[in-house]
Amino acid sequence: MAVTGEQGPPRRGVAPEGGLLLFRVSGIPVLLAPSWWIGSLIIVVLYTPLVGRILPGVTTLTSWLLAAAFAVLLGLSVLAHELGHCLVALRLGIPVRRLRLFLLGGLSEVARTPRQPRQEGLVAAAGPVVSLLLGGFCGLLMFAVPPESAAWLLIAECAVANFAVGIFNLLPGLPLDGGRLVRAGVWAATGRREKGTRAAVVGGGVVAAGLVVWALWGLAAGSEDRWLRLGVCVVTAWFVILGARSELAAESRRGWPEGVRLSELIRPVLQLPAESPVSDALAASAGRGVVLVRADGVAAGLLDETAAAQLAGTSPHAPAEMAAEPIRADTVLLSSESGEEIAERVRETAAWQFLVVDDEGRPAGVLRREDLRAAMTRSRPPA
């Protein structure tokens, strides 16, 4: 039902969190959250009475079984929808952390946000396209079975589930796919992603209000599905409001502090031999980043001040390399990169300091996560 890129980098060597691991698709773990069972139980309880009205004469047990089948088909429809998002994201080179099914929806967590409006639009549109195609296929399949039979109702349920998932997700508000399409459109027109986010967040508020109004209208009109509608709409409106707020908060964290240059945030860099006493390296690191270099000229890493302080407390003459944080490809930033690219790299990477180099690979300074966070807090307007 939603795609998010604000979940942070996966922790290495840690099993996926968030629910029961069902299987993996292209390396993406598919998880079933505990809340999915709650949502399914609500659907079964509220949908069972409708089965008896649709198929007069069915037994109570059959009504419960067909209602349970509808809950499962809805879950499979959401799964197909989310897989559409995931496969297109992977095709565009956007890593996907995991896919979760929960309560009345699903969530595809990408490891980074799309770099371009086109990517945002393609990933967002993929899910509804899959749902509508499956709904159309099931709609045609209904003509191949006897009408008003149990098989006919199961196929109809599958068609309704997919059409519901596809059409609902096209509503123009975050965190729904329609909201992401709105964001992509405004982003493409203005060149500012944050403007697209704000427009789509407003759309999310309108969608949530519309859901509540529709539920209340069903109660006032005495609609047969009024209780099912009320339960689904209230929970979904709550999900939309929370999701829109989360998107707005994430947008405020992803940008670069306004009016601040990278050179103003990076700390001077000092190169020391990797075999230097850790106490000396720690003393030299005050206000600076320290690159530890081995005798063969290869960098051993950046001095981790916390680890260095602990080591110096017990073995002050130990080689500083023992307190080095390895320099990886994802912890090296180019000084020529845009502010937004740097901010996103810092947010996505599990590291607290980054080596900044010029276009020729020469160290230009060290950027610490805490310094960037402080600058963003200062530049953020008061609420």
Side-chain angles (χ1 to χ4, degrees):
M1 186 175 291
V3 182
T4 180
E6 310 301 333
Q7 299 300 317
R11 290 175 293 174
R12 298 184 180 183
V14 178
E17 300 175 356
L20 174 67
L21 177 61
L22 299 178
F23 52 86
R24 294 178 183 268
V25 178
S26 297
I28 304 170
V30 177
L31 308 175
L32 189 66
S35 62
W36 183 88
W37 298 100
I38 299 174
S40 298
L41 180 60
I42 293 173
I43 290 173
V44 170
V45 170
L46 296 178
Y47 184 67
T48 296
L50 294 179
V51 175
R53 299 188 185 102
I54 298 172
L55 297 178
V58 298
T59 64
T60 302
L61 177 60
T62 301
S63 296
W64 280 97
L65 290 176
L66 289 174
F70 176 67
V72 172
L73 289 172
L74 180 60
L76 292 175
S77 300
V78 172
L79 174 60
H81 178 101
E82 296 301 326
L83 286 175
H85 288 310
C86 292
L87 295 179
V88 171
L90 292 176
R91 183 82 177 186
L92 293 174
I94 303 174
V96 180
R97 181 188 178 195
R98 62 182 179 179
L99 188 164
R100 277 195 306 153
L101 302 179
F102 63 95
L103 201 55
L104 298 179
L107 187 69
S108 301
E109 298 177 5
V110 297
R112 66 170 175 81
T113 52
R115 307 289 194 197
Q116 304 168 357
R118 172 180 166 274
Q119 292 181 335
E120 175 100 34
L122 288 174
V123 174
V129 167
V130 170
S131 297
L132 294 177
L133 288 176
L134 287 175
F137 173 77
C138 292
L140 294 175
L141 196 59
M142 289 173 60
F143 294 101
V145 297
E148 298 186 0
S149 62
W152 175 86
L153 182 58
L154 282 174
I155 296 173
E157 288 174 348
C158 192
V160 169
N162 279 284
F163 277 129
V165 170
I167 294 173
F168 172 72
N169 272 279
L170 286 175
L171 294 177
L174 284 172
L176 305 175
D177 300 325
R180 298 184 185 282
L181 291 172
V182 168
R183 174 162 63 191
V186 175
W187 183 5
T190 64
R192 301 287 296 275
R193 189 179 190 271
E194 65 273 16
K195 287 188 176 181
T197 297
R198 294 186 181 279
V201 164
V202 172
V206 173
V207 169
L211 288 169
V212 173
V213 169
W214 187 52
L216 294 177
W217 179 77
L219 283 177
S223 174
E224 287 189 352
D225 66 343
R226 58 188 180 277
W227 298 114
L228 176 62
R229 186 189 303 186
L230 178 65
V232 172
C233 285
V234 169
V235 173
T236 306
W238 171 74
F239 163 80
V240 170
I241 291 173
L242 289 184
R245 290 180 60 185
S246 175
E247 289 282 351
L248 189 60
E251 187 65 45
S252 68
R253 294 193 301 266
R254 76 178 300 273
W256 183 260
E258 188 174 352
V260 178
R261 298 192 303 270
L262 176 62
S263 59
E264 298 174 38
L265 291 183
I266 60 176
R267 302 187 179 204
V269 62
L270 174 67
Q271 297 188 44
L272 291 177
E275 64 273 13
S276 300
V278 66
S279 57
D280 293 348
L282 185 61
S285 69
R288 293 183 286 191
V290 177
V291 178
L292 299 171
V293 183
R294 297 192 182 102
D296 57 4
V298 177
L302 290 170
L303 183 71
D304 184 331
E305 289 187 3
T306 302
Q310 294 175 349
L311 181 60
T314 56
S315 304
H317 299 292
E321 183 177 358
M322 295 178 63
E325 183 178 16
I327 299 175
R328 309 187 307 268
D330 55 357
T331 61
V332 177
L333 305 173
L334 282 174
S335 59
S336 59
E337 289 182 290
S338 69
E340 282 201 354
E341 289 176 323
I342 290 176
E344 188 158 354
R345 286 272 303 281
V346 171
R347 191 181 65 254
E348 294 169 357
T349 306
W352 68 277
Q353 60 180 342
F354 299 79
L355 179 64
V356 180
V357 301
D358 61 21
D359 291 338
E360 296 181 4
R362 293 173 300 197
V366 171
L367 176 65
R368 293 188 177 174
R369 183 184 297 274
E370 61 192 48
D371 294 338
L372 177 57
R373 184 184 294 118
M376 293 179 69
T377 301
R378 289 193 300 270
S379 67
R380 193 174 298 154

